[in-house]
Amino acid sequence: MRGLQWFNALSAGATPVEGLPNSLKVADGVLGEQAVRFIAVVTDAQNRFPRARNGEVGLLEGWGLAKAVDEAIACGDKRPLIAIVDVPSQAYGRREEALGIHQALAAAADSYARARLAGHPVIALLVGKAMSGAFLAHGYQANRLIALRDPGVMVHAMGKASAARVTLRSVEELEALAASVPPMAYDIESYASLGLLWETLSVSQIEQPMADDVARVGDCLVSAIKDIDTPDLSSRLGATNRAASSHVRQLLREQW
């Protein structure tokens, strides 16, 4: 419910966008003095796809995100897009695979990337889980990533139980490994050490944001929008733990 709570708090007084799945909340409002579009994926207990009833990003969500972002691009005003992220996973299921969830999520990621390259400032606010393909489809293409400091805010390719099975380790062994290998960790501090976050913020009530929390986050979002000077993602490569990635890119540029 974090995504919904923060969407409602930040978009108070905004105009809802109709014609989208119930699992998507989209509204056009004002942040600072600028028109913006707020976008969130939320839980929908009546979702026609059972695998997407707990905030997962599935077929309806992927295509819906693409539609919401494409409509913003079509407006022609380059309004900032604020992606509020609390997504536990992509929707795993046979129907999802058969009906092309890879295409639906790729469409969402593509729309966010096209918006960013077209000059729309794209900001992702991480208020809960940002996991797996769901995060790739909703939030990861942002110019700036902002995360709230809280144990419930985490980023990873898969949940701990799934990662333990894939790596043939127990959850306890996986956590021990994560303590020394930042990319394997789930906590937001380890993720920040990779240089991918623009800012981290502490709030007093992350589950039920107070007025001061909303004001602080709003100010940070405005600052992030103003900080964007290029449409690419080069700002993510400056951290010590990304030194190898930066070196590889340098060598590729020299050779090509």
Side-chain angles (χ1 to χ4, degrees):
M1 297 295 289
R2 288 186 181 187
L4 179 59
Q5 295 293 347
W6 279 97
F7 174 86
N8 289 338
L10 290 168
S11 67
T15 302
V17 175
E18 305 295 337
L20 295 167
N22 292 334
S23 51
L24 287 185
K25 294 293 183 181
V26 181
D28 290 322
V30 177
L31 192 61
E33 298 180 353
Q34 191 167 19
V36 302
R37 173 162 287 195
F38 298 98
I39 306 173
V41 178
V42 301
T43 59
D44 174 20
Q46 304 304 315
N47 196 306
R48 61 185 295 186
F49 293 96
R51 295 289 189 177
R53 290 178 177 172
N54 297 301
E56 298 89 348
V57 179
L59 294 160
L60 299 179
E61 295 72 31
W63 292 120
L65 286 168
K67 179 181 179 181
V69 175
D70 283 353
E71 287 178 348
I73 297 173
C75 290
D77 57 5
K78 296 186 179 180
R79 69 185 62 184
L81 304 176
I82 310 299
I84 300 169
V85 181
D86 181 17
V87 286
S89 174
Q90 72 266 33
Y92 292 102
R94 293 183 178 180
R95 284 192 294 174
E96 283 78 10
E97 294 293 339
L99 295 175
I101 188 175
H102 61 289
Q103 292 180 319
L105 270 60
D110 176 70
S111 292
Y112 272 119
R114 284 189 290 103
R116 172 170 52 77
L117 294 173
H120 289 262
V122 182
I123 311 297
L125 175 66
L126 281 56
V127 301
K129 292 180 179 179
M131 306 293 281
S132 195
F135 183 36
L136 298 182
H138 176 55
Y140 193 64
Q141 281 293 328
N143 299 84
R144 299 289 184 269
L145 299 174
I146 300 169
L148 302 186
R149 295 193 197 102
D150 182 81
V153 179
M154 58 183 72
V155 184
H156 209 279
M158 60 182 70
K160 288 185 180 181
S162 298
R165 286 194 298 270
V166 169
T167 59
L168 302 180
R169 291 179 170 88
S170 67
V171 172
E172 292 73 21
E173 290 172 332
L174 187 69
E175 291 175 340
L177 179 64
S180 60
V181 184
M184 292 293 294
Y186 286 77
D187 64 284
I188 206 62
E189 289 77 14
S190 294
Y191 188 69
S193 74
L194 301 177
L196 299 167
L197 297 177
W198 182 74
E199 183 63 273
T200 59
L201 289 176
S202 295
V203 295
S204 60
Q205 296 286 341
I206 192 169
E207 301 284 353
Q208 297 283 344
M210 307 293 288
D212 289 346
D213 298 330
V214 177
R216 186 177 186 195
V217 170
D219 289 343
C220 186
L221 292 171
V222 170
S223 297
I225 292 171
K226 293 179 179 178
D227 183 67
I228 297 169
D229 53 4
T230 63
D232 61 31
L233 303 178
S234 58
S235 63
R236 299 184 182 182
L237 290 171
T240 302
N241 285 335
R242 297 298 298 279
S245 296
S246 298
H247 184 55
V248 168
R249 288 170 178 260
Q250 178 187 346
L251 293 177
L252 287 173
R253 283 193 297 268
E254 292 174 357
Q255 295 180 33
W256 288 356

